[in-house]
């Protein structure tokens, strides 16, 4: 397809989206509420932060204790290794949560921007605008029988 054909396809799909604007906005707001909810993830991350602090303190105390007393080094090494392993596992989950929270925040921002751009559209769109393309379209699928514009929020318009 040529660039001009893709632009025309986008405008057709955009106009179909504008026709269902109210319903689309309502669905996107529901999507934001369910998919972008991070309260439980933030609470788990905060709990892990406290656990990591306690494990680090316990490890520090174990090392200090080992320096100040004659202790069974094999037993001390096992205790230290268990604490380090536990710390590593908790830290990995902490980083995983951090990434997941950021991903959900990014998704919320994209969907909120999508809603804002869609709210501003009225009537038939006859002119291609780069900022609408960049702010609304995730990708386009083109096959032999049809073309589908996939907007952010997984909204698909098949032409």
């Amino acid at each position: 397809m040529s660039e001009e054909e893709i632009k025309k396809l986008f405008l057709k799909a955009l106009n179909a989206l504008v026709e269902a604007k109210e319903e689309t906005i309502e669905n996107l707001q529901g999507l934001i509420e369910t998919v972008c909810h991070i309260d439980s993830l933030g609470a788990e991350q905060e709990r892990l932060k406290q656990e990591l602090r306690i494990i680090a303190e316990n490890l520090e105390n174990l090392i200090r204790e080992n320096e100040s007393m004659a202790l069974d080094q094999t037993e001390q090494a096992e205790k230290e290794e268990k604490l380090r392993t536990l710390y590593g596992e908790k830290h990995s989950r902490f980083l995983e949560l951090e990434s997941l929270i950021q991903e959900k925040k990014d998704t919320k921002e994209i969907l909120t921007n999508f809603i804002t751009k869609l709210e501003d559209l009225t009537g038939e769109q006859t002119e291609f605008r780069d900022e609408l393309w960049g702010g609304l379209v995730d990708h386009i699928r083109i096959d032999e029988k049809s073309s589908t514009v996939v907007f952010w929020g997984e909204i698909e318009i098949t032409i």
Side-chain angles (χ1 to χ4, degrees):
M1 288 185 90
S2 70
E3 180 180 341
E4 195 58 39
E5 291 171 317
I6 291 172
K7 288 179 178 180
K8 285 179 183 177
L9 174 66
F10 167 67
L11 286 173
K12 283 182 185 177
L14 182 60
N15 284 317
L17 188 65
V18 170
E19 285 181 30
K21 178 167 72 169
E22 298 304 320
E23 180 184 349
T24 301
I25 289 171
E26 188 177 305
N27 290 340
L28 287 171
Q29 288 169 335
L31 190 62
I32 288 171
E33 289 296 318
T34 57
V35 173
C36 301
H37 188 71
I38 61 172
D39 291 347
S40 61
L41 297 176
E44 182 182 353
Q45 191 179 37
E46 191 57 39
R47 181 184 51 78
L48 281 171
K49 190 185 294 186
Q50 296 300 324
E51 289 178 18
L52 287 168
R53 186 183 51 74
I54 290 168
I55 294 169
E57 287 173 3
N58 288 342
L59 185 58
E60 191 176 300
N61 290 339
L62 182 70
I63 291 169
R64 248 190 265 122
E65 182 182 334
N66 193 35
E67 290 173 347
S68 64
M69 298 179 206
L71 300 169
D72 180 347
Q73 293 304 298
T74 303
E75 184 180 321
Q76 289 299 99
E78 287 174 6
K79 287 179 182 178
E80 185 177 332
E81 182 58 31
K82 283 181 184 177
L83 286 173
R84 289 184 187 279
T85 299
L86 183 59
Y87 187 92
E89 291 168 357
K90 302 267 184 191
H91 190 255
S92 290
R93 176 63 180 156
F94 181 86
L95 294 176
E96 182 183 320
L97 286 170
E98 190 172 67
S99 177
L100 191 54
I101 288 169
Q102 188 59 52
E103 182 180 305
K104 287 180 178 279
K105 286 179 178 179
D106 292 346
T107 299
K108 182 177 182 177
E109 183 178 346
I110 288 168
L111 294 176
T112 301
N113 288 338
F114 184 97
I115 289 170
T116 301
K117 288 189 184 317
L118 188 54
E119 285 174 332
D120 291 342
L121 295 177
T122 56
E124 184 178 357
Q125 304 300 303
T126 58
E127 185 178 318
F128 179 86
R129 296 185 352 224
D130 287 334
E131 71 274 6
L132 290 177
W133 172 271
L136 299 177
V137 176
D138 184 14
H139 63 279
I140 294 180
R141 284 191 312 267
I142 299 172
D143 60 34
E144 296 167 6
K145 297 180 183 178
S146 64
S147 300
T148 302
V149 177
V150 182
F151 294 96
W152 294 111
E154 299 179 27
I155 299 167
E156 297 185 9
I157 306 287
T158 301
I159 306 292

